[in-house]
């Protein structure tokens, strides 16, 4: 496809969205080699990352379709290009679900230890705003929006996040990897809340199991996991070499390539 002749709708940190001249209800999502962290303060280019992210995103969304998750994803017709449904509007939230305590949650309370296991997963809403560093929204406010304002944005996002988590956690588990947490985003299409955006190595934390038969039925599962073998963007956030980051993202794509053989 020749995107030089197409209308660019928006260019983000890791992808560009173009109008589809043949179909006003869909747009093209084109992946870039850029990688960023810290609200875009840290920024690099990793040759080949776009292709790997495109593969991971395709394989995850095709698996989620089989799990019955309503999403914007339609197809991936050529390398680095996906076709997705055009949104009526974006919902300005980052919706984080966590099975295992890691990352920013460790700063929020003395009682929280790395590796603490949450069942069911816990879900937190962040208001998307780089200058404000995506502040987390108060749980009481979210309950108020759901109960008093009947906001399907929050209730549906929470429901879909949990569904996606269960589905992807099971899939990664089949390859000896624990899904620790992830961040998803949503938009509105025809009055419905729909999962949008890319889902790639930057969206989640993935820690391999330490043994073949981990005991995950404990309040804290850190001893069962190998955080040093992490496969995700924390490698980049923590200052890893770009070659190592690319290898880890390649390892994720090699796993998600096998999702097609799994039962949904
Ligand atoms: O940093 P924190 O622990 O809050 O991140 C939770 C999850 O959300 C991690 O999987 C991280 O990769 C993801 N995340 C993200 N984009 C952000 C912030 C967090 O994908 N802007």
């Amino acid at each position: 496809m020749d995107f030089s002749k197409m209308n660019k709708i928006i260019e983000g940190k890791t992808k560009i969205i173009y109008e589809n001249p043949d179909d006003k209800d869909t747009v093209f999502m084109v992946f870039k080699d850029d990688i960023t962290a810290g609200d875009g303060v840290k920024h690099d280019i990793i040759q080949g990352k776009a292709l790997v992210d495109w593969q991971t995103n395709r394989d995850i969304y095709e698996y989620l379709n089989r799990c019955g998750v309503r999403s914007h994803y339609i197809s991936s017709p050529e390398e680095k290009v996906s076709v997705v449904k055009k949104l009526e509007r974006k919902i300005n939230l980052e919706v984080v679900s966590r099975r295992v305590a890691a990352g920013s949650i460790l700063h929020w309370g003395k009682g929280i230890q790395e590796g603490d296991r949450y069942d069911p997963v816990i879900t937190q809403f962040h208001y998307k705003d780089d200058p404000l560093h995506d502040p987390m929204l108060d749980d009481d406010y979210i309950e108020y929006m759901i109960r008093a304002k009947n906001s399907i944005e929050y209730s549906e996002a929470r429901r879909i996040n949990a569904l996606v988590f269960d589905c992807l956690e099971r899939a990664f588990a089949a390859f000896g990897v624990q899904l620790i947490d992830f961040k998803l985003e949503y938009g509105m299409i025809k009055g419905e809340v729909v999962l949008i955006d890319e889902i790639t190595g930057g969206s989640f934390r993935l820690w391999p199991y330490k043994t073949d038969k981990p005991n995950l039925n404990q309040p804290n599962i850190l001893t069962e996991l190998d955080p040093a073998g992490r496969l995700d963007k924390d490698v980049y956030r923590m200052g890893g070499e770009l070659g190592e980051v690319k290898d880890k993202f390649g390892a994720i794509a090699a796993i998600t390539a096998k999702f097609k053989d799994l039962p949904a």
Side-chain angles (χ1 to χ4, degrees), residues 39 94 96 98 102-105 108 126 134 181-183 202-205 234 237:
D39 299 328
E94 296 197 335
V96 174
R98 303 176 188 271
S104 70
I105 198 170
W108 297 337
H126 291 257
D134 303 337
D181 52 31
F182 63 33
K183 182 265 308 178
S203 314
F204 38 58
R205 291 194 172 92
D234 273 356
R237 294 188 185 104

Side-chain angles (χ1 to χ4, degrees), residues 98-103 105-106 113-116 169 172-173 175-181 204-211 214 216 220-235 237-238 248 252 255:
R98 303 176 188 271
R99 173 72 76 204
V100 181
I105 198 170
L106 303 178
Q113 300 294 327
E114 190 176 44
D116 284 353
E169 182 181 43
F172 281 113
F175 303 98
V177 176
Q178 174 66 47
L179 179 60
I180 301 291
D181 52 31
F204 38 58
R205 291 194 172 92
L206 289 172
W207 296 354
Y209 294 155
K210 205 177 253 174
T211 63
L216 302 175
N220 186 295
I221 58 172
L222 192 58
T223 54
E224 311 302 305
L225 305 175
D226 174 23
R230 57 175 56 82
L231 296 179
D232 51 67
K233 197 167 101 175
D234 273 356
V235 176
R237 294 188 185 104
M238 293 170 169
K248 299 286 184 169
I252 298 172
I255 292 173

Side-chain angles (χ1 to χ4, degrees), residues 73-102:
Y73 180 84
I74 298 174
S75 64
S76 294
E78 69 173 51
E79 286 190 354
K80 299 191 272 185
V81 181
S82 290
V83 181
V84 297
K85 293 176 194 159
K86 191 173 165 67
L87 297 180
E88 275 154 28
R89 81 183 155 83
K90 267 194 94 166
I91 297 174
N92 215 24
L93 295 170
E94 296 197 335
V95 189
V96 174
S97 289
R98 303 176 188 271
R99 173 72 76 204
V100 181

Side-chain angles (χ1 to χ4, degrees), residues 17-40:
I17 308 292
Y18 292 95
E19 276 176 11
N20 180 352
D22 300 321
D23 180 4
K24 64 174 179 34
D25 292 333
T26 66
V27 296
F28 295 114
M29 187 164 106
V30 181
F31 289 80
K32 306 201 303 188
D33 282 334
D34 302 60
I35 183 165
T36 67
D39 299 328

